[in-house]
Amino acid sequence: KSILYGATARAALTAFFARPDTFSLGVCNGCQMMAALAELIPGAERWPRFVRNRSEQFEARRALVEVRPSPSIFFRELVGARLQIVVSHGEGRAAERHPGDLAALAAAEHVVLGFVDGHGRVATRYPHNPNGSPDGITGVTTADGRATILMPHPERTPRSDWRAIFASARAWVG
């Protein structure tokens, strides 16, 4: 809240997110923070907020996600991939700020990651969907793909295909 209500921090972050030569990735707590700052991020108006898992417990384990088509600069090389990822959160369930927000994000292809079951079907129920997010949604991006947030932890599985997100960011920088 200090960023939203502090004039100096708010101005600095608003300017940062508006610059076309910047990008940002929020993971887990960073996801929650960037979702709370959505009003400062161009194109993030429909981003969800993240609330208590439907299981009412902290979930710490691996889950299966599918990388969905999106403009995210991080996931260009992984679209369509189904990969294991580390989940470690108690408040990871995507919740709409306004009715229809999640459907609009999906329709605009701004959903980056979604939980799937072992057959590749969208996971809508526990345990394949560890937080209970609608349609398995666990990561979203902006229309220009420069700001992306996700709840699970790709950085916790470094010896895997997840390295591609960091290579993609590096390639975007040039």
Side-chain angles (χ1 to χ4, degrees):
K1 297 284 185 186
S2 62
I3 293 171
L4 292 176
Y5 298 119
T8 303
R10 184 183 182 97
L13 277 176
T14 298
F16 172 82
F17 289 124
R19 287 179 31 205
D21 63 338
T22 63
F23 65 88
S24 53
L25 174 66
V27 175
C28 198
N29 292 80
C31 171
Q32 292 168 327
M33 184 193 80
M34 286 179 64
L37 298 176
E39 66 187 73
L40 307 182
I41 303 169
E45 299 80 20
R46 292 186 178 266
W47 277 6
R49 56 193 177 86
F50 291 86
V51 300
R52 186 93 177 127
N53 295 341
R54 194 158 309 281
S55 66
E56 292 291 327
Q57 63 186 8
F58 187 88
E59 298 290 342
R61 57 192 167 84
R62 291 183 180 264
L64 187 62
V65 292
E66 182 173 53
V67 180
R68 298 181 184 175
S70 79
S72 176
I73 68 165
F74 298 98
F75 293 93
R76 293 180 176 161
E77 302 298 319
L78 293 173
V79 172
R82 292 184 188 136
L83 303 167
Q84 285 200 1
I85 196 164
V86 172
V87 173
S88 183
H89 58 259
E91 296 160 341
R93 181 167 46 98
E96 293 181 314
R97 295 171 195 272
H98 303 99
D101 280 351
L102 293 178
L105 285 169
E109 292 192 337
H110 294 169
V111 174
V112 176
L113 290 178
F115 291 114
V116 293
D117 66 16
H119 300 286
R121 295 178 298 231
V122 172
T124 57
R125 295 179 17 179
Y126 190 85
H128 299 293
N129 180 334
N131 54 37
S133 289
D135 297 319
I137 294 171
T138 193
V140 296
T141 193
T142 54
D144 64 8
R146 293 184 308 108
T148 301
I149 58 174
L150 46 138
M151 191 46 62
H153 291 271
E155 81 286 0
R156 291 191 183 176
T157 48
R159 293 193 180 109
S160 71
D161 290 338
W162 290 116
R163 295 179 313 221
I165 66 173
F166 305 107
S168 290
R170 175 68 179 102
W172 185 84
V173 171

